[in-house]
Amino acid sequence: MRTLDQWFAEYAVSHQNPKNKAIHYICVPAIFFSIVGLLMSIPSGIIANTLNLNLPIIENWAFPVLLFVLVFYIRLSVAMAIKIALFSGICLILNYYIGQVVPLWAFSIGVFAIAWIGQFYGHNIEGKKPSFLKDLQFLLIGPAWVVENLFSRK
């Protein structure tokens, strides 16, 4: 199993251009955020009926999926898993409130589409293919790479 640093080193190969990096710093969190919103938009009767906690922020499909995703991060780094868990919590809360104002599924699809257009534009500038075309696990490495690059003390 690769370490987090090994994943980051491989991911960084196709993320050298400053413009591409800047685009990723915006678009990767936006994609993560929109996926949480899309998952929250799926009717969750089974989860709500099972938990019966009256906590709509966790009684949805995004919450168990995020718990499963956190297992991936925990295996790589507990510290990174905590950072991603905090970001995930913010995504859950913000998406909940956005869903009170507009149809969450429509908002999330719009953010998702715009962010992916940005990603592919960034890779066009970079002149290299997105890493996830080589290994789908890079779809989970991207958010960790952004967190590491934006908030590290290096």
Side-chain angles (χ1 to χ4, degrees), residues 120 128-136 138-139:
F120 285 110
K128 295 187 179 166
K129 294 180 182 177
S131 300
F132 76 87
L133 294 175
K134 180 180 177 185
D135 187 335
L136 288 176
F138 280 111
L139 291 170

Side-chain angles (χ1 to χ4, degrees), residues 14-126:
S14 59
H15 300 87
Q16 296 296 311
N17 184 289
K19 288 181 184 176
N20 187 31
K21 282 183 172 182
I23 289 168
H24 274 64
Y25 294 156
I26 296 166
C27 292
V28 168
I31 291 167
F32 190 97
F33 180 81
S34 67
I35 291 171
V36 171
L38 288 168
L39 289 168
M40 288 179 75
S41 300
I42 299 170
S44 59
I46 295 169
I47 295 171
N49 292 337
T50 303
L51 295 177
N52 200 21
L53 299 173
N54 198 24
L55 293 171
I57 291 175
I58 66 168
E59 290 181 338
N60 59 67
W61 288 105
F63 189 76
V65 169
L66 287 170
L67 289 176
F68 182 73
V69 165
L70 283 176
V71 171
F72 175 83
Y73 291 111
I74 289 168
R75 289 179 41 221
L76 294 174
S77 164
V78 172
M80 183 56 68
I82 291 168
K83 293 172 189 174
I84 296 293
L86 289 172
F87 179 62
S88 298
I90 292 167
C91 289
L92 286 166
I93 292 166
L94 290 177
N95 272 300
Y96 171 77
Y97 285 109
I98 289 168
Q100 303 302 303
V101 180
V102 297
L104 185 56
W105 65 270
F107 178 84
S108 297
I109 288 172
V111 170
F112 186 84
I114 291 167
W116 272 111
I117 290 168
Q119 290 284 86
F120 285 110
Y121 175 70
H123 279 286
N124 186 47
I125 292 170
E126 183 82 43

